[in-house]
Each structure stands twice: as structure tokens, then as C-alpha cells.
Amino acid sequence: MVMKEVVNTKTVLHVPKWKFTKQKTNFSVENLFILGAGMVVIFIILCALFPKWIAPYSPTFMDTSLILSPPNSAHWFGTDYFGRDVLSLVIYGSSDSLIIGIASVLIGGLIGGIIGSVSGYFGGIIDVVVMRLIEILMTIPGILLALAIAAALGPGLMNIVLAVAVSSIPGYARVMRGQLMSIKKRKYVEASRSIGTPEWRIFLWHLLPNSWSPLLVMATIGLGTSILIGSGLSFLGLGIIKEIPDWGALLSQGRGYLTVGWWISTFPGLAITLFVLSVNIIGDKLRDTFDPKTSRTR
């Protein structure tokens, strides 16, 4: 009788081997997209950091014998109306485009995070006044607000960064405010307050560290949006005025040659599209990682 119970126990605890092999070979299409998006982002960042090592030609080199030459083995993206290599221009132009995106996200996220933190933590009349101002700004589309600021400040790298950053502040402020208002009502915060912990310590050690994840996800997705807005301002002539144009300026310069040199605008546009799409894919994955409820509701 005892031996029989031991045998039954072994059979109950026995797990088929095929379950382990099934888990090891599990690979979804979503992981493939994330891997591809990460490779695109890393490659564009490398192009922005080390353009001299990656670009096949100097962006200022002009070959007048190859003006408006279509894509070929020597010039993969063709040449423009000055005989410059379009691939080299796209690689060198990624530097200013990434500077606009990263700097505007850092400035907008920092200012918006501070405003949202103060409004959500203190509440009361401060929250009412701040949120009414934020709502007024949010009634203006981001591209129009950035366009108005850039037009008032004039063309230039710092001006376009400020224009894009200011247009993104309302979104960061509302996200941070909602996160602070949710966290400050949780039991561990009330317990910390009940034992006499100073308010500044609660704010720095409990509220801020637990409220940064939605801001990080929003900043990741906002990076692509900032580059898109910055390219749009450059396309309209309010961007950076320099010898080596950014992606938006390349689009603007090639729009007059679409019938004879479609590649001048096409490849910078593809670079913007690929980068924005890749950043959005990574941001969507980060959102699912930090908030698993969103993935379960799909």
C-alpha cells in the first residue's frame, strides 16, 4: 500500500519534457519587430555620433558631373542638384535631428515633470491654477504652438529646441500630476507620514521614484514626435540654417525636384519615418513592461 502511494506521487509530480522545449523555442513576431526597431535606433545614433566613419563622402563635396544622378552603386541614395551624395547628407543630417529630439524631450520632460509634480502633490489652489494654464496650452495643437514660438524666436538650433520643448510640456505635466495624485494616496505613503517622516523626504524617496516610469515611456515616444515636429519646422524654413542641413531641411530642398530627382526628398523622409516608427515600437514595449494591464486589455 505504501509503495503504491509513492508511485502515484511520482506520476503526479512528473512533468512532460515537451513543455520545457516548447518554452525554449518560443519566439514571437513582436520580438522580431522590437529587435529590428532597436537595431534601427542604434544605427541612427551611431550615424549621428560618428558620421565621418560611416558616410562614404563628405557632405560638402560636389561632383558637377553627377548632378541629379539617380541611385547607383557609387551613390546608393543618388546625388542632389549640387552633385552632393544624398546618403552622406542623410547621415550627417541625423546629428542635428537627434539633438533637436533628445534636447527637447529632456527640457520638456524636466519642466513638465516639475510642474506636474508640484501640482499633483500640493493640490488645492495651486493645482487649479496650474491645470487651467496647462489646459489652455493643450487646446493649441503642438505643431502650431511650436510653429508660433519658432516664428517668434527665429531660425536656429536652440530656438527650434525651445519651440519643440515648450509644445511638449503640457503632456508631461498632466501625466506626472496624475501619477503623483495616485501614488500619494497609497498606504505606504500614509504609513510613512504617520511615523513622522518629513514631507520633503516622502516626496523625494517615495513619490518621485515610483512615478518616473510613465514619464519615461512618454519621453521615449515623445522623442519620435519631437523629431517629427522639428523636421516639420525645418521643412517650413524655421529650422537650422547651416551648410549641412538636417532631415527636414533636406526634405524642403528636394521638394522642387520631385519630378527629376525624387530621391532627394524620399530618402530623408524614409529616415524620419523609420526612426519615428522604431521609437514608437520601443515605447509601446516599455509601456507594456511597466504597465502589464495595458497588454492584457488588448
Side-chain angles (χ1 to χ4, degrees):
M1 185 68 180
V2 175
M3 292 296 295
K4 185 176 180 181
E5 290 180 356
V6 172
V7 172
N8 290 338
T9 304
K10 289 183 178 180
T11 56
V12 170
L13 295 177
H14 176 69
V15 179
K17 294 182 179 180
W18 65 270
K19 290 187 177 180
F20 293 101
T21 57
K22 184 178 180 180
Q23 292 177 356
K24 289 181 180 179
T25 57
N26 185 22
F27 188 80
S28 63
V29 179
E30 180 184 2
N31 294 332
L32 186 62
F33 275 109
I34 295 171
L35 178 62
M39 293 176 64
V40 169
V41 171
I42 292 174
F43 178 73
I44 292 178
I45 291 175
L46 290 176
C47 290
L49 293 176
F50 311 104
K52 293 182 180 180
W53 297 356
I54 300 176
Y57 301 94
S58 171
T60 58
F61 174 72
M62 302 179 187
D63 190 348
T64 56
S65 63
L66 295 175
I67 291 178
L68 294 178
S69 176
N72 52 65
S73 58
H75 301 276
W76 291 0
F77 287 3
T79 59
D80 65 356
Y81 42 85
F82 287 132
R84 299 176 298 180
D85 183 63
V86 176
L87 175 58
S88 300
L89 290 172
V90 171
I91 292 174
Y92 274 87
S94 62
S95 300
D96 289 333
S97 297
L98 282 185
I99 290 174
I100 293 172
I102 295 174
S104 60
V105 165
L106 290 177
I107 296 174
L110 180 62
I111 297 177
I114 293 174
I115 293 174
S117 300
V118 172
S119 177
Y121 183 74
F122 291 101
I125 187 64
I126 297 177
D127 181 45
V128 173
V129 173
V130 171
M131 282 301 103
R132 296 297 82 79
L133 295 175
I134 292 297
E135 289 173 358
I136 292 174
L137 289 177
M138 292 193 71
T139 58
I140 308 173
I143 183 64
L144 293 181
L145 182 59
L147 181 61
I149 297 173
L153 297 177
L157 179 59
M158 288 307 301
N159 292 342
I160 194 172
V161 167
L162 290 176
V164 178
V166 171
S167 65
S168 65
I169 288 176
Y172 292 113
R174 286 187 64 88
V175 169
M176 198 65 177
R177 171 184 176 269
Q179 194 72 4
L180 258 294
M181 292 184 68
S182 174
I183 294 176
K184 73 177 184 179
K185 297 179 181 178
R186 296 182 181 177
K187 293 183 179 180
Y188 67 86
V189 176
E190 296 178 357
S192 180
R193 188 177 287 112
S194 65
I195 61 176
T197 305
E199 291 294 327
W200 65 268
R201 192 177 184 88
I202 294 175
F203 182 77
L204 293 178
W205 290 91
H206 294 294
L207 297 181
L208 286 183
N210 291 290
S211 59
W212 66 271
S213 56
L215 207 66
L216 174 63
V217 175
M218 187 174 180
T220 304
I221 299 176
L223 176 60
T225 305
S226 298
I227 290 179
L228 198 61
I229 295 176
S231 299
L233 294 178
S234 296
F235 181 82
L236 296 174
L238 297 174
I240 307 166
I241 301 176
K242 57 187 300 186
E243 190 176 12
I244 303 174
D246 63 340
W247 289 343
L250 284 173
L251 278 172
S252 179
Q253 292 175 4
R255 61 180 174 175
Y257 298 86
L258 290 176
T259 57
V260 293
W262 54 267
W263 50 88
I264 302 176
S265 294
T266 300
F267 290 111
L270 286 176
I272 297 172
T273 303
L274 282 176
F275 186 80
V276 173
L277 180 61
S278 300
V279 169
N280 286 341
I281 291 174
I282 295 174
D284 190 63
K285 180 61 178 179
L286 288 176
R287 181 182 60 189
D288 293 343
T289 301
F290 289 120
D291 189 7
K293 296 179 181 179
T294 57
S295 60
R296 288 200 296 264
T297 57
R298 292 182 180 179

